[in-house]
Each structure stands twice: as C-alpha cells, then as structure tokens.
Amino acid sequence: MTRPEFIVDGFRNFKDMFTPDERSTTYVFIGKDGVIPVGLEDHFNGINEIKLSDRVSERLRIHFDTAKNLALYSWFVYRFGPVAEHQAFISFEYALRERLKAKLQDPKNPPRFNGLLRMAVENGLLKNEGFTQWYNRKEQIKYINDQHKEMLESVGMEFQPLPEEVDYLSSLIETFPKLRNFYSHGTSMLHPVKLDVLLTCAEGINQLFEKPEVNTEGNNL
C-alpha cells in the first residue's frame, strides 16, 4: 500500500522519487502459468522492443527516445503515460517534416500533421504493410468472420463476411493528428501509456527513411 505521506499526483518527495505508482503495478499477464503480475522489467522490455532503425538521424532518435523514457518512468509517475504518447506524436511529425522538406513549398511554414501524413502516403513513403496495427486489424476481422460464419451457418442463416482489406493509413491520417491536438491543447484525461501508439509512431518513422530522400521534382535522389 502507498504510504500516507506519498504524494501520488503532486510533486514527489525526495525519498519517494523511485517509489512505483501503485496504478502501474496493478496489471497482470494471464497465461498457462496462471496470473503473473507485470513487473518493472516487463514494463522496460515492452518499451525496449520499440526501436528506430539506423537510417533515422541521431537527432530524431534522441527526440523519440524522450518518448520512450517518459513511457519507462511512467512506472513511477503514472501521469507520464499520456505525455509519452504526445512526445511520440510530435516525434513522428518532426520526422515527416525532415523527410519531406524537399517537397515543401515553404519549409518554414509546413503543412500540419495530417497534411504531412497525406504527403508521405502520396509519395509512397508510408504503406499499410509497414504497420503492425494493419496486420492486427486484418486478423481481428478474420477471427470475427470465422466466428460469425460458424454461428450463423449452424442455425441456417446467411453469412455476410466483413471485408478483410483494411486501409489503416486512412485511419492514421484521421486519428493521429486529432489525438496529438487533444494532448497539445491540454486535458486531464489519464490512462496507462499505450505502447501501440509509440510502436506505430516508430514504425512510421522507420518507413519514412527506408528510401532515399525525395527531391523537389518528386524523383528519388
């Protein structure tokens, strides 16, 4: 239990700097070995698996590592979770500006996040296949179709499958700028850090730098 003098959401006491926020310690793994509490090492390992490629510049890697560090220390300060996601969004936007700067009419006044995402998609720099969430959604739809097909056919009803082709890029363009703005303008919303947000941003940044730079004529250098 948290000590009575332990300030959970305020400024930490010196002696409690590395006291875990008890909200971080309530999660468990459920598997063949039963229920196992998620520990700090598990928390670290999940974040450590999210990596930027060597093709990404050092300044961008440092920028994104700030998001990872915030996510890591959310074990101790639970409210770092949404801050980590916000940092990941702006790292993604930063990477888009860097990658597309040769295509921008006015590099000093670039499009907003959603405009940059659209440019990256139009230039073939972001693809559905480069995101884990795209595969996950396809698998979810396939599972739902399989379950519904079996259930409906067992009672003699017609089965209409959901389309399994998913355009994750459209969802990304629609939702990520809104979420970034939601955090940027201030919110009291609180939730555990969503590592899938950090992973998607990292996968997007990695895709941006898989190919050579794009010049002002729109051809690969």
Side-chain angles (χ1 to χ4, degrees), residues 146-191:
D146 290 344
Q147 294 296 309
H148 285 182
K149 183 175 187 293
E150 182 178 351
M151 179 182 67
L152 292 175
E153 288 184 349
S154 69
V155 294
M157 296 178 64
E158 183 181 0
F159 168 64
Q160 295 290 339
L162 296 171
E164 293 188 12
E165 287 305 314
V166 177
D167 183 12
Y168 180 66
L169 293 174
S170 295
S171 175
L172 188 75
I173 294 170
E174 178 70 20
T175 60
F176 267 39
K178 288 182 179 179
L179 288 170
R180 193 284 312 272
N181 291 342
F182 184 70
Y183 289 133
S184 295
H185 297 310
T187 174
S188 60
M189 183 179 70
L190 184 62
H191 56 257

Side-chain angles (χ1 to χ4, degrees), residues 73-184:
Y73 282 91
S74 69
W75 184 262
F76 304 100
V77 182
Y78 194 74
R79 289 185 179 274
F80 280 2
V83 184
E85 293 172 33
H86 182 239
Q87 179 70 20
F89 287 135
I90 61 176
S91 293
F92 195 1
E93 184 175 6
Y94 181 19
L96 285 161
R97 290 200 310 270
E98 286 291 297
R99 184 64 174 90
L100 293 166
K101 60 185 176 183
K103 294 283 289 180
L104 301 177
Q105 293 182 352
D106 182 4
K108 293 183 179 180
N109 187 28
R112 296 181 180 181
F113 193 9
N114 60 345
L116 291 167
L117 286 168
R118 290 185 190 281
M119 286 183 65
V121 172
E122 290 167 0
N123 281 276
L125 298 175
L126 294 176
K127 298 182 181 299
N128 282 312
E129 295 83 353
F131 293 101
T132 299
Q133 284 296 317
W134 179 72
Y135 291 99
N136 289 344
R137 291 189 182 185
K138 284 173 67 72
E139 287 299 314
Q140 289 170 358
I141 292 172
K142 184 178 184 303
Y143 175 79
I144 291 171
N145 280 338
D146 290 344
Q147 294 296 309
H148 285 182
K149 183 175 187 293
E150 182 178 351
M151 179 182 67
L152 292 175
E153 288 184 349
S154 69
V155 294
M157 296 178 64
E158 183 181 0
F159 168 64
Q160 295 290 339
L162 296 171
E164 293 188 12
E165 287 305 314
V166 177
D167 183 12
Y168 180 66
L169 293 174
S170 295
S171 175
L172 188 75
I173 294 170
E174 178 70 20
T175 60
F176 267 39
K178 288 182 179 179
L179 288 170
R180 193 284 312 272
N181 291 342
F182 184 70
Y183 289 133
S184 295

Side-chain angles (χ1 to χ4, degrees), residues 50 64 92 130-133 168 172 176 195-207:
I50 303 172
F64 185 75
F92 195 1
F131 293 101
T132 299
Q133 284 296 317
Y168 180 66
L172 188 75
F176 267 39
L195 294 188
D196 59 334
V197 169
L198 271 67
L199 176 61
T200 299
C201 288
E203 290 173 339
I205 294 170
N206 285 337
Q207 285 189 69

Side-chain angles (χ1 to χ4, degrees), residues 28-47:
V28 297
F29 294 119
I30 300 177
K32 61 181 181 180
D33 296 325
V35 177
I36 302 173
V38 174
L40 177 57
E41 185 174 359
D42 303 306
H43 180 69
F44 170 84
N45 288 338
I47 299 165

